[in-house]
Amino acid sequence: LFIILILISSSCNKKTKLNLFPQETQLQCNRYPNEIESYPPTQFILCKDHFILLKPNFGDVAMIVDCKDGSTKGYWGKKGTGPDEFLNFYCNTFYPKDSTLYIFDHQQKSLRKYKQEKDPLHWNKISEIKADNDSVLIYDLHRMENGILLQMLL
């Protein structure tokens, strides 16, 4: 038994370098001259030349930020119970090929599709699907490259 332990311990002394990440990527940090003032957003979406920060404060749905300098371009969407307002949304996805944004509002049980116009502050509602069941909850949402929308329902 003692000889087996010596053999095992001597074989463990060899150091082997594992190549877990064969392609290393250097990340660079951009420093913006402007501070981005926001509550911690629930989601961060990169759209062409700007960022969308979702739930940046208590009254707005999204804050649009310029990628070049970090300046705030403006705010989009309002919280409320009106037809184009939001109560409790948290499941969103952006599809860059056709500049569409999907937002599911849990309280209003609606999945809305918006298309971005040339101006990043203008989004037109293309469609809305309302769930007729109170137990529907979209947990995750993703649009694939071929355009199919995948949803994880609870």
Side-chain angles (χ1 to χ4, degrees), residues 90 104 106 109 131-139 153-154:
Y90 59 87
F104 178 74
H106 176 65
K109 301 287 187 226
D132 58 355
N133 187 341
D134 283 343
S135 63
V136 171
L137 171 64
I138 295 181
Y139 178 72
L153 300 173
L154 296 177

Side-chain angles (χ1 to χ4, degrees), residues 26-88:
Q26 293 286 356
L27 298 177
Q28 283 188 314
C29 178
N30 291 337
R31 294 195 176 264
Y32 293 123
N34 301 306
E35 286 189 23
I36 300 173
E37 294 183 20
S38 168
Y39 290 106
T42 58
Q43 194 167 1
F44 177 86
I45 301 171
L46 176 61
C47 304
K48 298 178 184 174
D49 61 346
H50 58 278
F51 302 119
I52 298 177
L53 304 177
L54 296 173
K55 292 188 181 177
N57 55 42
F58 292 113
D60 298 299
V61 171
M63 180 169 75
I64 314 298
V65 178
D66 191 315
C67 285
K68 295 177 194 104
D69 62 3
S71 64
T72 301
K73 289 187 173 186
Y75 296 89
W76 176 79
K78 292 290 176 201
K79 293 182 182 175
T81 58
D84 287 325
E85 295 177 334
F86 301 88
L87 281 175
N88 183 16

Side-chain angles (χ1 to χ4, degrees), residues 1-2 7 12 34 36 59 73 82 97 99 102 108-111 118 120 122-123 125 132-133 138:
L1 184 63
F2 182 70
L7 289 174
C12 294
N34 301 306
I36 300 173
K73 289 187 173 186
K97 284 189 177 180
S99 297
Y102 294 85
Q108 295 184 6
K109 301 287 187 226
S110 68
L111 176 64
K118 292 179 183 179
H122 291 95
W123 295 79
K125 184 166 66 171
D132 58 355
N133 187 341
I138 295 181

Side-chain angles (χ1 to χ4, degrees), residues 91-93 100-104 111-113 141 143 149:
C91 187
N92 314 286
T93 186
T100 53
L101 178 68
Y102 294 85
I103 298 177
F104 178 74
L111 176 64
R112 301 176 196 172
K113 178 181 177 182
L141 189 65
R143 186 163 175 193
L149 191 66

